[in-house]
């Protein structure tokens, strides 16, 4: 699909402009907007894959070749492909996004490539983002008008001055039915674009009207900083709508994926390995201004699995690097329910989860207003493990002065202990739970063990031993074939002539054979300049699906050499590749000669014997050439 889109768009965006976009794009910077990357050695970077759930980083980026590959799910490509997959963009939208980022002006040509033409209609996403950017400026200007007095007072009453409002792009939807709609139509946005963006909606009469009216607005931005929606707060008592009204689901706004404040918080989240999840827009503002820059909030929906995926990638939430996730919920019944729901999602994080609840049941915005910035920072610092909070509020529902109350509390709390992902902590929590309940430890242990195996309390059984993992072994020949292919993909200028001189017949592994053939189909390594374009050419030339995946994998896998490869290393690798193949043919020839009668088949015998001597001589030469070792 990617190759087809490239071919299609190459007829509209000039080929040299696409190549220049690839050249001027830092793939590490593009991917770092979504994934926290850390050194993987050899100049490569690694992080958690944004395309599948994983606990150990298998997503690799090679800045030197401007390519990426995930060893876990097999996805890979260049910066254009990353945006296509991560942002669900078309090829043209990805190229245009990267061109704008690099400050490049794209040129377009007719289908026959005969003459330059005016820029075609932008991709849908870029048009919707542009409409939102124009809406942000419109709403911000409206915030200074006389009709927006209630909005300004709302912000001031919550401790936000003009500078804070400007920092977060706050705006006001005026008391008019179609003022924004007319403004955007004058700027060239179509009826369908405004409806698709969620900025306007059809009225009962069929005319187009603004979606938001007489409300304070917050622009909602994605990880890259593009505005993709709005959150609107009711200000007037005669407004019969909900307290908060958000942009509806659109091609660019998916509320289950969106976190308010993520654009401003992402770098601190990655730097500190910590994120604070709050409940509203003003809470995010209050936390940031109070010195808690890692705060984010959901937008009109409960915190869920997709939000967790976004945060895990920013936190680099792995077995080796465990971050902190701190939830701030009100202390009322609804807040407690939200906290317990968050504990159900705790298993999706590798890191530690905490909860911070104000003693006075105030949210961060209220706390900052009442007690100052230090109180907000102290709220986060006084966090407690989420499991402690969940257990305490679970057993508080029951009368522990009665036998029935203690037993029922044990039954309800045991599954929470069983879900604690750090197995070494479970015995301590079993003892703590027994103490809190005033019970002996043995029945609590049985209840937790039973819950761990999905059984009612009292029916625990010994855990079944884990099935042994199947061993995986790479033969020396397969490893050297892999190294040769890596050289052709990563260092074609250096390795090309020697690589191309060794025929595909020297490769044994069928997938390696397919990749070697693809290199030849793409024109040979000696003709390539390297980088993402060359890797995509080889991938597109490969007919084997496993081979296509392997191309992406080999493009980022480090070479088996300390330092930079040189001609000697290439020579050694190619010699070892051939030596393995030659020794295999020698073995086959010796076996065949032994089966031939030298008297009755004298001509064949001496022909094979002569071939054997020649191969053995060739093998000795290769062995000497390969004596430097890998």
């Amino acid at each position: 699909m990617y190759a087809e889109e490239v071919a299609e768009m190459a007829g509209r965006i000039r080929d040299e402009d696409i190549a220049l976009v690839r050249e001027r794009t830092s793939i590490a910077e593009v991917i770092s907007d979504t994934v926290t990357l850390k050194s993987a050695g050899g100049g490569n970077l690694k992080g958690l894959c944004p395309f599948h759930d994983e606990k150990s980083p298998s997503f690799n980026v090679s800045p030197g070749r401007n390519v990426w590959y995930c060893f876990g799910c097999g996805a890979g490509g260049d910066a254009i492909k990353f945006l296509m997959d991560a942002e669900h963009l078309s090829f043209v939208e990805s190229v245009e996004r990267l061109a704008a980022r690099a400050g490049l002006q794209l040129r377009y040509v007719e289908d026959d490539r005969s003459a330059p033409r005016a820029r075609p209609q932008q991709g849908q996403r870029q048009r919707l983002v542009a409409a939102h950017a124009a809406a942000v400026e419109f709403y911000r200007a409206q915030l200074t008008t006389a009709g927006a007095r209630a909005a300004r007072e709302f912000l001031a009453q919550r401790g936000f001055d003009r500078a804070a409002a400007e920092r977060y792009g706050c705006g006001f939807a005026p008391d008019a039915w179609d003022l924004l709609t007319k403004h955007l139509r004058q700027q060239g946005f179509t009826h369908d674009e405004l409806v698709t963006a969620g900025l306007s909606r059809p009225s009962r009469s069929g005319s187009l009207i603004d979606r938001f009216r007489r409300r304070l607005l917050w622009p909602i931005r994605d990880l890259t900083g593009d505005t993709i929606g709005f959150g609107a707060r009711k200000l007037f008592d005669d407004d019969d709508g909900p307290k908060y009204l958000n942009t509806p689901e659109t091609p660019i706004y998916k509320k289950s994926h969106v976190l308010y404040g993520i654009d401003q918080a992402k770098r601190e989240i990655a730097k500190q390995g910590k994120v604070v999840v709050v409940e509203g827009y003003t809470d995010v503002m209050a936390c940031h201004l109070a010195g808690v820059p890692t705060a984010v909030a959901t937008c009109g929906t409960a915190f869920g699995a997709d939000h967790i995926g976004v945060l895990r990638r920013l936190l680099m939430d792995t077995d080796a690097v465990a971050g902190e996730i701190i939830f701030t919920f009100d202390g009322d019944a609804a807040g407690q329910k939200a906290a317990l729901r968050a504990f159900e999602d705790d298993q999706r994080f590798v890191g530690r989860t905490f909860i911070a609840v104000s003693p006075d049941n105030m949210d961060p915005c209220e706390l900052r207003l009442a007690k100052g910035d230090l109180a907000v920072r102290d709220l986060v610092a006084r966090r407690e493990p989420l499991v402690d909070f969940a257990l305490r509020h679970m057993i508080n529902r029951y009368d522990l002065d009665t036998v029935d109350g203690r037993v029922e509390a044990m039954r309800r709390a045991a599954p929470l202990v069983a879900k604690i992902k750090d197995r070494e902590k479970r015995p301590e929590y079993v003892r703590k739970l027994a103490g809190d309940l005033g019970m002996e430890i043995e029945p609590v242990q049985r209840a937790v063990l039973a819950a761990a195996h999905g059984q009612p309390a009292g029916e625990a059984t010994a855990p079944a031993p884990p099935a042994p993992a199947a061993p995986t072994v790479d033969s020396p020949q397969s490893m050297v074939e892999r190294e040769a292919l890596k050289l052709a993909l990563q260092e074609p200028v250096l390795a090309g002539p020697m690589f191309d001189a060794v025929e595909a017949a020297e490769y044994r592994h069928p997938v390696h054979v397919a990749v070697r053939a693809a290199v030849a189909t793409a024109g040979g390594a000696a003709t390539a300049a390297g980088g993402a374009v060359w890797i995509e050419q080889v991938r597109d030339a490969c007919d084997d699906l496993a081979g296509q995946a392997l191309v992406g994998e080999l493009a980022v896998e480090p070479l088996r050499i300390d330092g930079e490869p040189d001609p000697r290393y290439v020579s050694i690798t190619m010699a070892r590749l051939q030596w393995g193949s030659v020794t295999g043919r020698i073995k086959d020839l010796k076996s065949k000669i032994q089966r031939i009668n030298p008297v009755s088949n004298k001509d064949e015998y001496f022909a094979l014997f002569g071939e054997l001597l020649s191969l053995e001589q060739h093998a000795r030469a290769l062995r000497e050439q390969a004596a430097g070792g890998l």
Side-chain angles (χ1 to χ4, degrees):
M1 180 64 180
Y2 180 49
E4 293 172 0
E5 294 203 34
V6 171
E8 177 186 349
M9 289 314 306
R12 290 192 279 156
I13 301 176
R14 287 192 172 185
D15 292 346
E16 56 267 32
D17 287 0
I18 296 174
L20 188 60
V21 166
R22 286 190 170 107
E23 179 184 330
R24 297 283 182 86
T25 296
S26 167
I27 194 167
E29 291 182 4
V30 172
I31 293 177
S32 291
D33 286 337
T34 305
V35 180
T36 295
L37 298 173
K38 300 195 175 181
S39 175
N44 287 354
L45 304 169
K46 66 180 179 180
L48 291 175
C49 181
F51 307 118
H52 80 289
D53 193 26
E54 60 179 3
K55 292 189 175 181
S56 297
S58 58
F59 182 87
N60 282 253
V61 179
S62 176
R65 288 172 289 279
N66 260 351
V67 294
W68 58 275
Y69 181 79
C70 176
F71 290 90
C73 66
D78 58 7
I80 299 172
K81 186 67 163 60
F82 181 82
L83 284 186
M84 290 172 66
D85 292 348
E87 301 288 340
H88 306 289
L89 306 180
S90 67
F91 180 83
V92 65
E93 288 173 325
S94 296
V95 173
E96 288 173 341
R97 172 86 75 86
L98 294 174
R101 182 176 184 136
L104 298 174
Q105 181 66 45
L106 294 175
R107 296 169 296 170
Y108 299 79
V109 296
E110 297 290 354
D111 290 339
D112 61 4
R113 308 188 185 187
S114 58
R117 66 173 174 88
R119 187 192 187 288
Q121 182 180 358
Q122 294 172 303
Q124 183 191 54
R125 187 186 194 284
Q126 191 166 353
R127 290 290 293 172
L128 300 186
V129 168
H132 276 86
V136 168
E137 295 306 314
F138 173 85
Y139 287 138
R140 289 178 65 173
Q142 291 295 317
L143 187 61
T144 64
T145 63
R149 179 178 178 181
R152 296 193 298 272
E153 289 178 348
F154 178 95
L155 291 170
Q157 290 167 3
R158 284 156 180 77
F160 304 122
D161 57 16
R162 181 173 181 177
E166 291 179 352
R167 173 178 172 180
Y168 292 91
C170 296
F172 178 69
D175 185 8
W177 290 107
D178 60 357
L179 203 58
L180 173 70
T181 299
K182 288 180 178 177
H183 175 74
L184 295 180
R185 288 300 301 272
Q186 289 172 356
Q187 293 197 12
F189 295 99
T190 67
H191 175 286
D192 289 344
E193 285 173 339
L194 298 183
V195 172
T196 301
L199 295 169
S200 305
R201 60 185 178 87
S203 66
R204 293 179 181 177
S205 65
S207 61
L208 205 58
I209 60 175
D210 300 345
R211 178 169 295 277
F212 303 114
R213 178 171 171 260
R214 304 172 69 212
R215 286 185 174 244
L216 173 62
L217 297 179
W218 286 267
I220 300 171
R221 302 184 179 99
D222 63 13
L223 278 164
T224 67
D226 286 339
T227 299
I228 56 175
F230 289 93
R233 210 286 187 182
K234 181 168 70 173
L235 297 170
F236 302 99
D237 293 336
D238 61 349
D239 184 341
D240 58 0
K243 183 177 179 180
Y244 281 95
L245 181 65
N246 282 39
T247 294
E249 294 278 307
T250 73
I252 63 173
Y253 180 83
K254 308 294 182 186
K255 63 183 180 181
S256 64
H257 293 71
V258 174
L259 288 165
Y260 177 73
I262 194 72
D263 58 307
Q264 296 199 34
K266 63 182 181 182
R267 298 199 182 281
E268 285 297 323
I269 291 173
K271 179 181 177 181
Q272 298 185 26
K274 178 189 302 181
V275 62
V276 178
V277 181
V278 299
E279 292 193 296
Y281 307 123
T282 57
D283 293 332
V284 170
M285 294 174 66
C287 283
H288 288 187
L289 295 173
V292 183
T294 59
V296 297
T298 59
C299 300
T301 187
F303 186 80
D306 291 326
H307 298 122
I308 291 172
V310 172
L311 293 180
R312 286 196 65 234
R313 291 188 289 274
L314 289 177
L315 286 166
M316 188 70 166
D317 184 43
T318 69
D319 294 322
V321 184
E324 287 190 13
I325 304 90
I326 304 168
F327 296 95
T328 63
F329 295 112
D330 294 343
D332 58 14
Q336 293 177 21
K337 183 177 180 181
L340 293 175
R341 186 169 57 243
F343 181 75
E344 292 298 314
D345 284 328
D346 177 66
Q347 306 308 302
R348 296 178 182 271
F349 287 107
V350 176
R352 297 161 292 171
T353 52
F354 299 85
I355 187 169
V357 179
S358 170
D360 302 315
N361 292 339
M362 290 187 287
D363 61 35
C365 182
E366 294 168 337
L367 186 62
R368 176 175 180 262
L369 193 62
K371 299 184 178 182
D373 292 350
L374 181 59
V376 177
R377 296 196 295 271
D378 285 345
L379 168 67
V380 175
R382 292 195 310 268
R383 65 199 181 277
E384 69 171 317
L386 186 55
V387 62
D388 289 26
F389 177 89
L391 284 172
R392 184 172 68 253
H393 284 269
M394 178 67 74
I395 64 178
N396 282 349
R397 300 176 183 177
Y398 303 94
D399 183 0
L400 301 183
D401 291 332
T402 67
V403 172
D404 288 345
R406 290 193 295 272
V407 172
E408 188 61 25
M410 178 192 71
R411 288 173 175 167
R412 298 294 184 182
L416 297 183
V417 177
K419 288 180 179 178
I420 297 174
K421 52 184 173 285
D422 190 341
R423 293 177 177 269
E424 294 181 358
K425 292 182 179 179
R426 289 183 191 173
E428 288 299 319
Y429 276 101
V430 168
R431 281 189 281 273
K432 183 179 186 304
L433 179 58
D436 291 342
L437 294 172
M439 299 178 66
E440 296 294 328
I441 193 171
E442 287 79 9
V444 178
Q445 284 177 325
R446 289 195 297 269
V448 171
L449 187 58
H453 293 87
Q455 301 167 346
E459 297 184 10
T461 60
T472 58
V473 179
D474 287 330
S475 70
Q477 177 66 19
S478 179
M479 291 174 66
V480 77
E481 289 176 10
R482 192 179 184 94
E483 192 74 359
L485 292 171
K486 282 191 289 184
L487 284 168
L489 292 168
Q490 298 180 21
E491 303 288 345
V493 176
L494 170 68
M498 282 186 275
F499 177 90
D500 291 345
V502 178
E503 297 180 356
E506 305 293 345
Y507 294 78
R508 300 277 190 85
H509 194 290
V511 180
H512 296 168
V513 172
V515 175
R516 173 62 182 85
V519 171
T521 303
T527 66
V533 174
W534 165 239
I535 291 163
E536 285 301 326
Q537 288 174 345
V538 177
R539 195 200 312 268
D540 294 342
C542 189
D543 296 330
D544 184 271
L545 291 178
Q548 292 173 6
L550 184 62
V551 170
E553 185 175 335
L554 297 180
V556 299
E557 183 177 297
L559 292 166
R560 302 179 66 229
I561 181 177
D562 294 330
E564 294 297 319
D566 55 17
R568 178 174 176 273
Y569 181 72
V570 178
S571 174
I572 290 172
T573 301
M574 301 314 299
R576 289 205 161 185
L577 170 66
Q578 296 174 82
W579 187 80
S581 175
V582 168
T583 53
R585 293 206 298 272
I586 288 173
K587 183 178 179 180
D588 292 340
L589 271 175
K590 286 181 176 179
S591 175
K592 191 172 184 179
I593 288 172
Q594 288 178 348
R595 297 193 304 269
I596 292 178
N597 187 324
V599 177
S600 59
N601 297 285
K602 181 173 62 174
D603 293 341
E604 183 180 3
Y605 177 84
F606 283 108
L608 292 175
F609 195 78
E611 185 179 350
L612 176 62
L613 292 176
S614 176
L615 282 175
E616 287 180 334
Q617 184 179 4
H618 185 38
R620 285 192 295 272
L622 290 172
R623 187 166 57 245
E624 292 176 3
Q625 185 180 342
L630 285 175

